[in-house]
Amino acid sequence: CFRLEDRIRKGDRAMILSRGTVMTRGGIEALKSQLWAEAMRHGLAHAARVLVIADGAVWIWNLVSDRFEKAIQRLDLYHAKEHLWTVARTLHPHDEQRAQAWVRPLLKDLERDRGQKVIAELEAVAKGQRGTMRATVDKEINYFGSNLHRMKYKEGHKLGEPLGSGAIESTCRQYQCR
């Protein structure tokens, strides 16, 4: 948890001056309680706007809906791009250049809030696939479809908000490596 005003610019990156971290082995219910308490310590009760960024896991969005029902939800842009790369590498497993050529315009579409266009492209690709390839593409169509309303990256960029969960990913890595 952190407040956007608790960031400073360091070169082209933002650095968080004060943040709260919670972790538990007590399961989702324990995490809900700890996260709520930490968010309150960081001023949730007085916040005009609350933003939650996550990787798309359903359990996270369920937690957000339960504890932070008025929060703006944003799908982590990096994770969304990873899902497109999964399709690119499934379609072109032995040709990285073709995979890049296929995925590059779709990555730009994501950044420009054209998630529906991404889904339409994936649906067009799925029609010509069978077996494992079709299953992979269908899985990603479902991923983007269920997260479409969370993919407003242009708006977040204009507001100076993070588009990804890199700050927490970095924190997790620090704790996991100890």
Side-chain angles (χ1 to χ4, degrees), residues 75 80 84 105-123 140-141 143-154:
L75 180 66
L84 279 179
L106 296 174
L107 297 173
K108 290 290 182 203
D109 285 335
L110 273 182
E111 293 171 3
R112 295 177 178 143
D113 295 349
R114 296 183 196 142
Q116 195 61 54
K117 188 174 178 186
V118 170
I119 293 169
E121 175 63 25
L122 292 175
E123 288 172 340
E140 302 308 341
I141 289 169
Y143 175 83
F144 287 109
S146 64
N147 287 294
L148 188 59
H149 63 288
R150 298 179 178 112
M151 299 189 305
K152 300 209 179 349
Y153 304 112
K154 277 175 53 176

